[in-house]
């Protein structure tokens, strides 16, 4: 590209910004949603363990019958401690758009603006809504969104990722035989966890991020 003219500065901006300053303060007419996603293998263990014998316990092989995968969309509102999980067959841009539409029209129909913190998955873009809906519908949904992306390799700043980790430990730490069972188990987990809401006590501020994540922020070079 060549050198910039004298008096100008070259600015290199890494993809994504920091979500550090988005969580703590509620604003009128604004709700916070934090979609995350995970993939769950659906299948059962090998049904034929080797029976116990004198001096030998029953032996179960780690092999299992794989029956496909399922996608989980996690939406978490940090100020109220409420979360919602949607189980889908796939993880396409259209699936993401359907989740966003449900978020806006079913769960937060009266919110003027919903702040959406996303990681940098290739489907997490406003363009996904145009793939799924008529342009007028897509535009009306996008106008109600405030989209912020976490830095690349910084998806841990998305609180939905923590909720997905909790879900994995408490509900998905075993083989799930089929998609229907997965949907029921996840719904039961969601209901139980929402009954005892735990809002996020967010202490990682934008100032903290600029120090600890300096390498992810714009680099300004004079010359």
């Amino acid at each position: 590209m060549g050198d910039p003219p004298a008096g100008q500065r070259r600015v290199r901006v890494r993809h994504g910004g920091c979500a550090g300053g988005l969580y703590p303060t509620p604003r009128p007419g604004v709700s916070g949603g934090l979609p995350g996603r995970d993939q769950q293998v659906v299948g059962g263990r090998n049904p034929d363990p080797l029976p116990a014998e004198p001096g030998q316990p029953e032996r179960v092989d780690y092999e299992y019958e794989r029956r496909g995968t399922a996608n989980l969309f996690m939406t978490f509102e940090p100020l109220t401690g409420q979360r919602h999980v949607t189980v889908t067959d796939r993880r396409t841009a259209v699936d993401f758009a359907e989740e966003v539409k449900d978020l806006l029209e079913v769960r937060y129909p009266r919110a003027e603006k919903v702040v959406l913190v996303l990681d940098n998955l290739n489907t997490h873009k406003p363009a996904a809504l145009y793939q799924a809906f008529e342009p007028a519908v897509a535009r009306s949904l996008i106008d109600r969104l405030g989209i912020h992306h976490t830095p690349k390799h910084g998806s841990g700043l998305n609180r939905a990722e923590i909720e997905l980790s909790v879900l994995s430990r408490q509900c998905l730490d075993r083989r799930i035989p089929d998609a229907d069972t997965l949907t029921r188990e996840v719904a039961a987990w969601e209901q139980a966890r929402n009954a005892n809401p735990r809002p996020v006590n967010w202490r990682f501020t934008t100032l903290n991020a600029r120090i600890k994540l300096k390498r992810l922020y714009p680099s300004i070079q004079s010359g």
Side-chain angles (χ1 to χ4, degrees):
M1 295 176 61
D3 293 329
Q8 286 191 4
R9 294 181 299 172
R10 180 178 295 144
V11 179
R12 184 178 74 252
V13 181
R14 295 178 185 268
H15 187 64
C18 181
L22 294 177
Y23 298 129
T25 306
R27 289 174 285 168
V30 177
S31 295
L34 310 172
R37 76 280 178 275
D38 196 14
Q39 190 176 61
Q40 177 69 23
V41 175
V42 177
R45 281 193 179 279
N46 189 327
D48 299 317
L50 298 176
E53 300 174 351
Q56 182 71 52
E58 180 185 59
R59 286 157 289 174
V60 179
D61 199 304
Y62 284 104
E63 180 185 357
Y64 64 93
E65 178 187 357
R66 182 173 175 136
R67 300 170 185 168
T69 61
N71 175 64
L72 306 179
F73 283 113
M74 167 73 73
T75 308
F76 178 59
E77 187 176 358
L79 295 176
T80 65
Q82 298 292 302
R83 76 276 301 141
H84 177 74
V85 186
T86 303
V87 179
T88 62
D89 293 331
R90 302 171 302 165
R91 194 180 66 191
T92 66
V94 172
D95 294 307
F96 170 71
E98 293 284 359
E99 179 69 10
V100 171
K101 187 172 187 287
D102 183 79
L103 175 74
L104 292 172
E105 295 189 348
V106 178
R107 286 174 265 163
Y108 299 102
R110 292 180 293 179
E112 297 174 10
K113 183 78 71 173
V114 172
V115 176
L116 216 53
V117 180
L118 303 164
D119 62 18
N120 287 284
L121 190 68
N122 61 346
T123 58
H124 288 175
K125 294 178 172 60
L129 279 78
Y130 284 98
Q131 291 182 239
F133 311 118
E134 292 294 325
V137 175
R139 184 71 261 170
S140 67
L141 295 173
I142 291 171
D143 286 344
R144 293 180 57 205
L145 292 175
I147 296 178
H148 301 265
H149 286 91
T150 59
K152 283 189 174 181
H153 312 298
S155 60
L157 292 171
N158 190 333
R159 298 300 87 194
E161 298 292 340
I162 290 180
E163 286 297 309
L164 282 172
S165 177
V166 175
L167 172 62
S168 296
R169 294 195 308 270
Q170 295 182 349
C171 183
L172 306 178
D173 59 346
R174 62 197 187 285
R175 300 293 178 195
I176 307 293
D178 52 61
D180 289 341
T181 302
L182 175 64
T183 301
R184 289 195 303 271
E185 294 285 333
V186 167
W189 174 88
E190 175 188 321
Q191 183 178 13
R193 192 155 171 82
N194 283 341
N196 183 26
R198 297 186 180 184
V200 169
N201 180 18
W202 186 256
R203 292 178 291 180
F204 190 69
T205 64
T206 301
L207 179 60
N208 297 143
R210 291 189 184 279
I211 297 171
K212 294 181 179 295
L213 303 177
K214 181 179 179 180
R215 73 187 194 287
L216 300 176
Y217 274 82
S219 175
I220 300 176
Q221 304 169 6
S222 298

